[in-house]
Amino acid sequence: MAYFVLVVEMVGNAVEIKLYRWAGQWGPFLVKIPCGECALTLDVIKDTLARELAGIEVSLEVRDWLSCWWQPLLKGGWHAPIVMVDNRVVSQGAALNRGVLTQAVIDAHSQHRPLEGNRIFGKPGCPHCARAKAYLDQAGIDFTYEDVVASPRALYEMLARVKSIIGPTTPVTLPQIWLQGDYIGGADQLSARLHRMVEPNPERGQCSLSPSAPD
């Protein structure tokens, strides 16, 4: 069975990516040159790892599908190119969409590694995001601000981390805040944590990431 392994910044628990390409041998059938979409998928994976997923610990293994077709089949993968992230099929039968890979890897990475430091996930024009940043500035607390509109990586990480806390059906509001890795919530919860008094926000929960309220 032909395969190779590429390890990218492997430290601790890496996210495992496997690509099964249309090549290899099964009985008298022999394919030496992978299909065009398989080659394109590998190029997309490598470029996405270098760009959108830079800094995330990932191991990439490429296998010839004809030589081991039963392995992905057990997980529902039957049509090369097959891409699996942590043994879950995320794409098959067509060239890979890099957004699908980015979200799948970040979801898996969020399960492997706890969030560290002080982080605010927000968006431009959000008054509550601005209020949260002002609270931390006034308290002299350093933090990292993530724009979930401009950065798909920030959006996927926020959703992966907060959904595991608030549940899959609860609308996600902005901002979403962590202090020293501990989940805080929104600007009002941050204010309470910092012992500040603010007026209640009657529109809490209405933002571009949550469904509109009925008229």
Side-chain angles (χ1 to χ4, degrees):
M1 176 177 63
Y3 69 92
F4 68 84
V5 178
L6 170 68
V7 178
V8 180
E9 295 190 18
M10 181 141 179
V11 180
N13 294 323
V15 177
E16 297 180 355
I17 302 175
K18 292 181 181 178
L19 167 62
Y20 292 86
R21 61 187 180 180
W22 177 249
Q25 184 171 8
W26 175 253
F29 300 102
L30 175 63
V31 177
K32 294 183 178 180
I33 301 176
C35 72
E37 289 194 73
C38 297
L40 177 58
T41 292
L42 180 56
D43 290 339
V44 169
I45 291 174
K46 290 181 177 180
D47 193 67
T48 305
L49 294 179
R51 297 175 186 269
E52 288 94 325
L53 299 173
I56 293 181
E57 301 85 23
V58 173
S59 66
L60 170 61
E61 183 175 337
V62 180
R63 296 190 174 191
D64 292 339
W65 179 79
L66 273 174
S67 301
C68 54
W69 56 267
W70 62 90
Q71 295 176 354
L73 186 62
L74 294 173
K75 299 294 184 179
W78 56 274
H79 189 179
I82 301 166
V83 179
M84 301 178 66
V85 174
D86 276 4
N87 289 317
R88 180 174 68 88
V89 175
V90 300
S91 177
Q92 65 174 314
L96 176 66
N97 180 317
R98 66 192 300 137
V100 170
L101 178 66
T102 300
Q103 183 170 13
V105 169
I106 291 176
D107 283 348
H109 175 71
S110 298
Q111 296 175 16
H112 287 315
R113 297 285 296 273
L115 188 147
E116 299 177 351
N118 304 318
R119 305 273 291 279
I120 296 180
F121 294 87
K123 68 174 184 177
C126 169
H128 314 300
C129 302
R131 185 156 56 93
K133 290 191 288 184
Y135 292 158
L136 292 179
D137 284 337
Q138 292 167 11
I141 299 175
D142 293 332
F143 64 93
T144 300
Y145 177 75
E146 306 279 2
D147 184 341
V148 300
V149 174
S151 170
R153 176 168 173 168
L155 174 62
Y156 296 144
E157 180 179 9
M158 180 193 71
L159 292 175
R161 293 191 184 280
V162 77
K163 284 291 187 179
S164 65
I165 298 172
I166 68 176
T169 61
T170 302
V172 178
T173 62
L174 292 176
Q176 293 294 328
I177 305 165
W178 278 257
L179 289 183
Q180 296 302 317
D182 292 332
Y183 178 65
I184 302 299
D188 293 343
Q189 289 74 31
L190 175 62
S191 174
R193 176 65 67 92
L194 297 177
H195 306 292
R196 296 178 58 97
M197 296 299 294
V198 297
E199 295 180 1
N201 174 18
E203 296 182 357
R204 179 66 181 164
Q206 297 305 314
C207 69
S208 60
L209 293 180
S210 60
S212 300
D215 295 334

PDB file of all heavy atoms in Angstrom, residues 8 18 47-48 53 61-62 67 73 82 86 90 93 96 105 125 130 137 142 162 165 168 177 184 191-192 202:
ATOM      1  N   VAL A   8       3.053  18.736   9.817  1.00  0.00           N
ATOM      2  CA  VAL A   8       3.170  20.191   9.829  1.00  0.00           C
ATOM      3  C   VAL A   8       3.108  20.681  11.267  1.00  0.00           C
ATOM      4  O   VAL A   8       2.081  20.552  11.929  1.00  0.00           O
ATOM      5  CB  VAL A   8       2.036  20.838   9.005  1.00  0.00           C
ATOM      6  CG1 VAL A   8       2.175  22.348   9.016  1.00  0.00           C
ATOM      7  CG2 VAL A   8       2.043  20.305   7.573  1.00  0.00           C
ATOM      8  N   LYS A  18      -6.402  12.787   6.558  1.00  0.00           N
ATOM      9  CA  LYS A  18      -6.067  11.706   5.633  1.00  0.00           C
ATOM     10  C   LYS A  18      -6.723  11.985   4.286  1.00  0.00           C
ATOM     11  O   LYS A  18      -7.891  12.336   4.217  1.00  0.00           O
ATOM     12  CB  LYS A  18      -6.548  10.358   6.167  1.00  0.00           C
ATOM     13  CG  LYS A  18      -5.813   9.881   7.408  1.00  0.00           C
ATOM     14  CD  LYS A  18      -6.331   8.525   7.876  1.00  0.00           C
ATOM     15  CE  LYS A  18      -5.601   8.066   9.134  1.00  0.00           C
ATOM     16  NZ  LYS A  18      -6.133   6.760   9.633  1.00  0.00           N
ATOM     17  N   ASP A  47      -1.893  24.141   0.659  1.00  0.00           N
ATOM     18  CA  ASP A  47      -1.971  25.590   0.662  1.00  0.00           C
ATOM     19  C   ASP A  47      -2.815  26.097   1.825  1.00  0.00           C
ATOM     20  O   ASP A  47      -2.489  27.115   2.448  1.00  0.00           O
ATOM     21  CB  ASP A  47      -2.560  26.090  -0.659  1.00  0.00           C
ATOM     22  CG  ASP A  47      -2.378  27.586  -0.848  1.00  0.00           C
ATOM     23  OD1 ASP A  47      -1.224  28.021  -1.003  1.00  0.00           O
ATOM     24  OD2 ASP A  47      -3.383  28.324  -0.813  1.00  0.00           O
ATOM     25  N   THR A  48      -3.892  25.392   2.150  1.00  0.00           N
ATOM     26  CA  THR A  48      -4.738  25.787   3.284  1.00  0.00           C
ATOM     27  C   THR A  48      -3.983  25.645   4.595  1.00  0.00           C
ATOM     28  O   THR A  48      -4.102  26.490   5.494  1.00  0.00           O
ATOM     29  CB  THR A  48      -6.026  24.939   3.318  1.00  0.00           C
ATOM     30  OG1 THR A  48      -6.702  25.046   2.066  1.00  0.00           O
ATOM     31  CG2 THR A  48      -6.960  25.416   4.426  1.00  0.00           C
ATOM     32  N   LEU A  53      -4.661  27.782   8.034  1.00  0.00           N
ATOM     33  CA  LEU A  53      -4.441  26.931   9.204  1.00  0.00           C
ATOM     34  C   LEU A  53      -3.007  27.000   9.725  1.00  0.00           C
ATOM     35  O   LEU A  53      -2.587  26.140  10.497  1.00  0.00           O
ATOM     36  CB  LEU A  53      -4.799  25.480   8.855  1.00  0.00           C
ATOM     37  CG  LEU A  53      -6.262  25.264   8.454  1.00  0.00           C
ATOM     38  CD1 LEU A  53      -6.483  23.843   7.966  1.00  0.00           C
ATOM     39  CD2 LEU A  53      -7.197  25.575   9.623  1.00  0.00           C
ATOM     40  N   GLU A  61      -1.697  12.583   6.022  1.00  0.00           N
ATOM     41  CA  GLU A  61      -1.329  11.282   5.468  1.00  0.00           C
ATOM     42  C   GLU A  61      -2.082  11.083   4.158  1.00  0.00           C
ATOM     43  O   GLU A  61      -3.297  11.249   4.100  1.00  0.00           O
ATOM     44  CB  GLU A  61      -1.678  10.174   6.452  1.00  0.00           C
ATOM     45  CG  GLU A  61      -1.258   8.787   6.002  1.00  0.00           C
ATOM     46  CD  GLU A  61      -1.509   7.730   7.061  1.00  0.00           C
ATOM     47  OE1 GLU A  61      -1.578   8.093   8.249  1.00  0.00           O
ATOM     48  OE2 GLU A  61      -1.650   6.556   6.688  1.00  0.00           O
ATOM     49  N   VAL A  62      -1.354  10.720   3.106  1.00  0.00           N
ATOM     50  CA  VAL A  62      -1.942  10.501   1.788  1.00  0.00           C
ATOM     51  C   VAL A  62      -1.820   9.020   1.436  1.00  0.00           C
ATOM     52  O   VAL A  62      -0.716   8.465   1.462  1.00  0.00           O
ATOM     53  CB  VAL A  62      -1.246  11.351   0.713  1.00  0.00           C
ATOM     54  CG1 VAL A  62      -1.875  11.108  -0.658  1.00  0.00           C
ATOM     55  CG2 VAL A  62      -1.336  12.837   1.070  1.00  0.00           C
ATOM     56  N   SER A  67      -5.642   0.618  -2.915  1.00  0.00           N
ATOM     57  CA  SER A  67      -4.884  -0.309  -2.083  1.00  0.00           C
ATOM     58  C   SER A  67      -5.483  -0.495  -0.696  1.00  0.00           C
ATOM     59  O   SER A  67      -5.118  -1.448   0.014  1.00  0.00           O
ATOM     60  CB  SER A  67      -3.431   0.174  -1.950  1.00  0.00           C
ATOM     61  OG  SER A  67      -2.819   0.284  -3.212  1.00  0.00           O
ATOM     62  N   LEU A  73     -14.183   3.395   3.784  1.00  0.00           N
ATOM     63  CA  LEU A  73     -15.539   2.885   3.624  1.00  0.00           C
ATOM     64  C   LEU A  73     -16.205   2.662   4.976  1.00  0.00           C
ATOM     65  O   LEU A  73     -17.412   2.880   5.134  1.00  0.00           O
ATOM     66  CB  LEU A  73     -15.530   1.583   2.823  1.00  0.00           C
ATOM     67  CG  LEU A  73     -16.910   1.009   2.459  1.00  0.00           C
ATOM     68  CD1 LEU A  73     -17.671   1.980   1.570  1.00  0.00           C
ATOM     69  CD2 LEU A  73     -16.748  -0.348   1.775  1.00  0.00           C
ATOM     70  N   ILE A  82     -11.094  11.292  -1.152  1.00  0.00           N
ATOM     71  CA  ILE A  82     -11.767  11.288   0.140  1.00  0.00           C
ATOM     72  C   ILE A  82     -10.865  11.998   1.141  1.00  0.00           C
ATOM     73  O   ILE A  82      -9.686  11.654   1.273  1.00  0.00           O
ATOM     74  CB  ILE A  82     -12.039   9.863   0.631  1.00  0.00           C
ATOM     75  CG1 ILE A  82     -12.908   9.109  -0.380  1.00  0.00           C
ATOM     76  CG2 ILE A  82     -12.718   9.872   2.000  1.00  0.00           C
ATOM     77  CD1 ILE A  82     -12.954   7.613  -0.148  1.00  0.00           C
ATOM     78  N   ASP A  86      -9.595  13.746  11.569  1.00  0.00           N
ATOM     79  CA  ASP A  86      -9.786  12.968  12.797  1.00  0.00           C
ATOM     80  C   ASP A  86     -10.804  11.844  12.580  1.00  0.00           C
ATOM     81  O   ASP A  86     -11.759  11.670  13.344  1.00  0.00           O
ATOM     82  CB  ASP A  86     -10.212  13.881  13.949  1.00  0.00           C
ATOM     83  CG  ASP A  86      -9.021  14.538  14.632  1.00  0.00           C
ATOM     84  OD1 ASP A  86      -7.889  14.342  14.168  1.00  0.00           O
ATOM     85  OD2 ASP A  86      -9.226  15.255  15.622  1.00  0.00           O
ATOM     86  N   VAL A  90     -15.027  14.496   5.561  1.00  0.00           N
ATOM     87  CA  VAL A  90     -15.494  15.870   5.381  1.00  0.00           C
ATOM     88  C   VAL A  90     -15.686  16.214   3.914  1.00  0.00           C
ATOM     89  O   VAL A  90     -16.347  17.213   3.584  1.00  0.00           O
ATOM     90  CB  VAL A  90     -14.534  16.878   6.041  1.00  0.00           C
ATOM     91  CG1 VAL A  90     -14.431  16.611   7.538  1.00  0.00           C
ATOM     92  CG2 VAL A  90     -13.160  16.864   5.390  1.00  0.00           C
ATOM     93  N   GLY A  93     -15.422  12.663  -3.524  1.00  0.00           N
ATOM     94  CA  GLY A  93     -15.986  12.662  -4.856  1.00  0.00           C
ATOM     95  C   GLY A  93     -15.736  13.905  -5.682  1.00  0.00           C
ATOM     96  O   GLY A  93     -16.155  13.974  -6.836  1.00  0.00           O
ATOM     97  N   LEU A  96     -11.511  19.339  -3.180  1.00  0.00           N
ATOM     98  CA  LEU A  96     -11.823  19.828  -1.838  1.00  0.00           C
ATOM     99  C   LEU A  96     -12.102  21.320  -1.806  1.00  0.00           C
ATOM    100  O   LEU A  96     -11.390  22.114  -2.420  1.00  0.00           O
ATOM    101  CB  LEU A  96     -10.649  19.506  -0.908  1.00  0.00           C
ATOM    102  CG  LEU A  96     -10.720  20.015   0.523  1.00  0.00           C
ATOM    103  CD1 LEU A  96     -11.849  19.332   1.288  1.00  0.00           C
ATOM    104  CD2 LEU A  96      -9.384  19.773   1.231  1.00  0.00           C
ATOM    105  N   VAL A 105     -10.882  21.286  10.480  1.00  0.00           N
ATOM    106  CA  VAL A 105      -9.631  21.234  11.247  1.00  0.00           C
ATOM    107  C   VAL A 105      -9.728  22.099  12.501  1.00  0.00           C
ATOM    108  O   VAL A 105      -9.293  21.703  13.586  1.00  0.00           O
ATOM    109  CB  VAL A 105      -8.441  21.665  10.373  1.00  0.00           C
ATOM    110  CG1 VAL A 105      -7.187  21.868  11.228  1.00  0.00           C
ATOM    111  CG2 VAL A 105      -8.183  20.620   9.294  1.00  0.00           C
ATOM    112  N   GLY A 125     -18.566  47.520  13.924  1.00  0.00           N
ATOM    113  CA  GLY A 125     -19.861  48.163  14.083  1.00  0.00           C
ATOM    114  C   GLY A 125     -20.687  47.642  15.232  1.00  0.00           C
ATOM    115  O   GLY A 125     -21.808  48.126  15.462  1.00  0.00           O
ATOM    116  N   ALA A 130     -17.324  46.924  21.090  1.00  0.00           N
ATOM    117  CA  ALA A 130     -16.531  48.105  21.447  1.00  0.00           C
ATOM    118  C   ALA A 130     -16.549  48.327  22.946  1.00  0.00           C
ATOM    119  O   ALA A 130     -15.538  48.709  23.555  1.00  0.00           O
ATOM    120  CB  ALA A 130     -17.080  49.325  20.713  1.00  0.00           C
ATOM    121  N   ASP A 137      -9.510  47.624  28.242  1.00  0.00           N
ATOM    122  CA  ASP A 137      -8.514  48.696  28.146  1.00  0.00           C
ATOM    123  C   ASP A 137      -8.464  49.500  29.445  1.00  0.00           C
ATOM    124  O   ASP A 137      -7.388  49.803  29.973  1.00  0.00           O
ATOM    125  CB  ASP A 137      -8.848  49.621  26.979  1.00  0.00           C
ATOM    126  CG  ASP A 137      -8.505  49.012  25.631  1.00  0.00           C
ATOM    127  OD1 ASP A 137      -7.644  48.108  25.588  1.00  0.00           O
ATOM    128  OD2 ASP A 137      -9.106  49.434  24.616  1.00  0.00           O
ATOM    129  N   ASP A 142      -4.414  43.175  28.865  1.00  0.00           N
ATOM    130  CA  ASP A 142      -4.077  42.905  27.475  1.00  0.00           C
ATOM    131  C   ASP A 142      -4.987  41.811  26.924  1.00  0.00           C
ATOM    132  O   ASP A 142      -5.331  40.860  27.634  1.00  0.00           O
ATOM    133  CB  ASP A 142      -2.616  42.464  27.346  1.00  0.00           C
ATOM    134  CG  ASP A 142      -1.648  43.588  27.682  1.00  0.00           C
ATOM    135  OD1 ASP A 142      -2.010  44.757  27.486  1.00  0.00           O
ATOM    136  OD2 ASP A 142      -0.537  43.277  28.150  1.00  0.00           O
ATOM    137  N   VAL A 162     -17.746  28.069  21.478  1.00  0.00           N
ATOM    138  CA  VAL A 162     -18.896  28.535  22.243  1.00  0.00           C
ATOM    139  C   VAL A 162     -20.070  27.576  22.139  1.00  0.00           C
ATOM    140  O   VAL A 162     -20.843  27.409  23.097  1.00  0.00           O
ATOM    141  CB  VAL A 162     -19.302  29.961  21.806  1.00  0.00           C
ATOM    142  CG1 VAL A 162     -20.064  29.946  20.486  1.00  0.00           C
ATOM    143  CG2 VAL A 162     -20.149  30.629  22.882  1.00  0.00           C
ATOM    144  N   ILE A 165     -20.325  25.038  24.713  1.00  0.00           N
ATOM    145  CA  ILE A 165     -20.670  25.565  26.037  1.00  0.00           C
ATOM    146  C   ILE A 165     -22.159  25.888  26.128  1.00  0.00           C
ATOM    147  O   ILE A 165     -22.835  25.492  27.084  1.00  0.00           O
ATOM    148  CB  ILE A 165     -19.837  26.817  26.360  1.00  0.00           C
ATOM    149  CG1 ILE A 165     -18.344  26.469  26.408  1.00  0.00           C
ATOM    150  CG2 ILE A 165     -20.286  27.446  27.684  1.00  0.00           C
ATOM    151  CD1 ILE A 165     -17.432  27.670  26.521  1.00  0.00           C
ATOM    152  N   PRO A 168     -25.851  23.482  20.826  1.00  0.00           N
ATOM    153  CA  PRO A 168     -25.889  23.669  19.376  1.00  0.00           C
ATOM    154  C   PRO A 168     -27.056  24.498  18.871  1.00  0.00           C
ATOM    155  O   PRO A 168     -27.008  25.013  17.754  1.00  0.00           O
ATOM    156  CB  PRO A 168     -25.963  22.230  18.838  1.00  0.00           C
ATOM    157  CG  PRO A 168     -26.588  21.453  19.951  1.00  0.00           C
ATOM    158  CD  PRO A 168     -26.091  22.080  21.214  1.00  0.00           C
ATOM    159  N   ILE A 177     -16.355  36.241  24.831  1.00  0.00           N
ATOM    160  CA  ILE A 177     -15.148  36.652  25.555  1.00  0.00           C
ATOM    161  C   ILE A 177     -14.627  35.520  26.432  1.00  0.00           C
ATOM    162  O   ILE A 177     -15.407  34.833  27.108  1.00  0.00           O
ATOM    163  CB  ILE A 177     -15.453  37.885  26.434  1.00  0.00           C
ATOM    164  CG1 ILE A 177     -16.043  39.016  25.571  1.00  0.00           C
ATOM    165  CG2 ILE A 177     -14.207  38.357  27.173  1.00  0.00           C
ATOM    166  CD1 ILE A 177     -16.699  40.111  26.382  1.00  0.00           C
ATOM    167  N   ILE A 184     -16.328  33.752  29.556  1.00  0.00           N
ATOM    168  CA  ILE A 184     -17.025  34.815  30.266  1.00  0.00           C
ATOM    169  C   ILE A 184     -18.435  35.007  29.723  1.00  0.00           C
ATOM    170  O   ILE A 184     -19.407  35.086  30.464  1.00  0.00           O
ATOM    171  CB  ILE A 184     -16.253  36.149  30.161  1.00  0.00           C
ATOM    172  CG1 ILE A 184     -14.847  35.990  30.723  1.00  0.00           C
ATOM    173  CG2 ILE A 184     -17.013  37.264  30.878  1.00  0.00           C
ATOM    174  CD1 ILE A 184     -14.795  35.608  32.182  1.00  0.00           C
ATOM    175  N   SER A 191     -18.497  42.901  32.222  1.00  0.00           N
ATOM    176  CA  SER A 191     -18.627  44.014  33.157  1.00  0.00           C
ATOM    177  C   SER A 191     -18.798  43.517  34.576  1.00  0.00           C
ATOM    178  O   SER A 191     -18.179  44.012  35.517  1.00  0.00           O
ATOM    179  CB  SER A 191     -19.815  44.884  32.753  1.00  0.00           C
ATOM    180  OG  SER A 191     -20.049  45.885  33.722  1.00  0.00           O
ATOM    181  N   ALA A 192     -19.646  42.501  34.730  1.00  0.00           N
ATOM    182  CA  ALA A 192     -19.861  41.944  36.066  1.00  0.00           C
ATOM    183  C   ALA A 192     -18.582  41.332  36.613  1.00  0.00           C
ATOM    184  O   ALA A 192     -18.264  41.478  37.795  1.00  0.00           O
ATOM    185  CB  ALA A 192     -20.980  40.900  36.012  1.00  0.00           C
ATOM    186  N   PRO A 202     -31.316  45.615  26.410  1.00  0.00           N
ATOM    187  CA  PRO A 202     -32.582  44.967  26.065  1.00  0.00           C
ATOM    188  C   PRO A 202     -32.538  44.222  24.743  1.00  0.00           C
ATOM    189  O   PRO A 202     -33.410  43.408  24.475  1.00  0.00           O
ATOM    190  CB  PRO A 202     -33.565  46.146  25.995  1.00  0.00           C
ATOM    191  CG  PRO A 202     -32.709  47.319  25.635  1.00  0.00           C
ATOM    192  CD  PRO A 202     -31.398  47.086  26.344  1.00  0.00           C
TER     193      PRO A 202
END
